[in-house]
Amino acid sequence: MIKKKKLQEASIPTSSMADIAFLLLLFFLVATVIDVDTGLGLTLPEYVPPEERMEIKVDPERLVAVLVNEQGDVLIDGEIVSIFQIKNLIKPKLLARVEMPLNKKIIVSLKTDRKTIYNQYIAALDQIKLAFFEARDEVSLGRFGKRFKDLTKEQQDQMKDAVPIIISLAEPEQIK
């Protein structure tokens, strides 16, 4: 009598599935790039020891002082304004000095209180930068008929010389 061989049923081996899942998880953890850019895009100056520091006198007519106290009140050249008026007050001063040499251009100094809320500091800084960018756009429209971003690299360099962004970030202190 011949014994008939029994056919095995088809099955999928699942014993290595945990290993494959673990390898896939490890691959995605290693290959994934998490965007962690936070903070301000500022380039800070190099540290200079106190004995090597030089004091440079700036003509008060070139300086626009923006002070922000701990309540968020903004003072521009001694006048109380709201944060959103900063741009409108600084831009005409920038435009008035477009044709002047670099040592006559406007310097905007931003100074805050130690207890100033970070968002108000950033909002004030944004308004100051916006004033510079709008002044550049206005000057480039007058000279080239295009906005600053649409200019060639050479023309943009000319606009950067005409309206340089000069912002002084002073150390926070007690402002009353």
Side-chain angles (χ1 to χ4, degrees):
M1 176 169 195
I2 299 175
K3 201 172 189 181
K4 211 172 186 183
K5 226 178 187 182
K6 209 174 189 183
L7 291 175
Q8 289 185 347
E9 290 182 28
S11 66
I12 299 173
T14 59
S15 61
S16 63
M17 291 300 277
D19 295 337
I20 292 170
F22 178 74
L23 287 174
L24 284 173
L25 179 67
L26 187 64
F27 171 77
F28 285 115
L29 284 175
V30 171
T32 303
V33 176
I34 299 172
D35 189 19
V36 291
D37 288 341
T38 58
L40 300 174
L42 295 175
T43 304
L44 297 176
E46 280 185 38
Y47 173 76
V48 178
E51 60 272 0
E52 295 178 20
R53 292 182 188 167
M54 293 175 27
E55 188 170 311
I56 300 172
K57 299 274 184 194
V58 176
D59 183 13
E61 290 184 15
R62 289 183 60 202
L63 197 64
V64 176
V66 179
L67 304 172
V68 183
N69 69 9
E70 66 182 272
Q71 285 87 28
D73 299 330
V74 178
L75 218 65
I76 295 182
D77 293 335
E79 186 179 322
I80 296 175
V81 297
S82 77
I83 285 181
F84 301 105
Q85 291 177 311
I86 294 173
K87 176 192 74 169
N88 296 333
L89 293 171
I90 293 174
K91 195 169 101 177
K93 294 178 181 183
L94 296 171
L95 292 172
R97 296 196 172 228
V98 169
E99 299 302 328
M100 294 189 163
L102 185 61
N103 62 355
K104 302 281 185 189
K105 303 279 184 187
I106 292 289
I107 299 171
V108 179
S109 172
L110 176 61
K111 198 170 204 174
T112 59
D113 188 277
R114 290 194 182 279
K115 294 179 182 174
T116 300
I117 297 170
Y118 192 67
N119 287 342
Q120 291 171 337
Y121 170 73
I122 298 300
L125 187 60
D126 285 344
Q127 287 291 312
I128 293 168
K129 284 185 174 179
L130 195 58
F132 279 101
F133 294 146
E134 285 189 6
R136 274 187 183 168
D137 271 346
E138 207 166 295
V139 173
S140 66
L141 277 172
R143 285 190 186 173
F144 303 107
K146 297 177 185 175
R147 301 184 72 170
F148 178 77
K149 68 177 185 176
D150 299 327
L151 298 176
T152 64
K153 176 77 175 140
E154 189 176 289
Q155 292 170 331
Q156 284 184 347
D157 290 342
Q158 287 178 8
M159 287 297 95
K160 287 177 182 176
D161 290 340
V163 186
I165 298 176
I166 307 172
I167 302 172
S168 168
L169 301 175
E171 286 186 33
E173 63 179 37
Q174 289 294 112
I175 300 172
K176 296 193 178 187

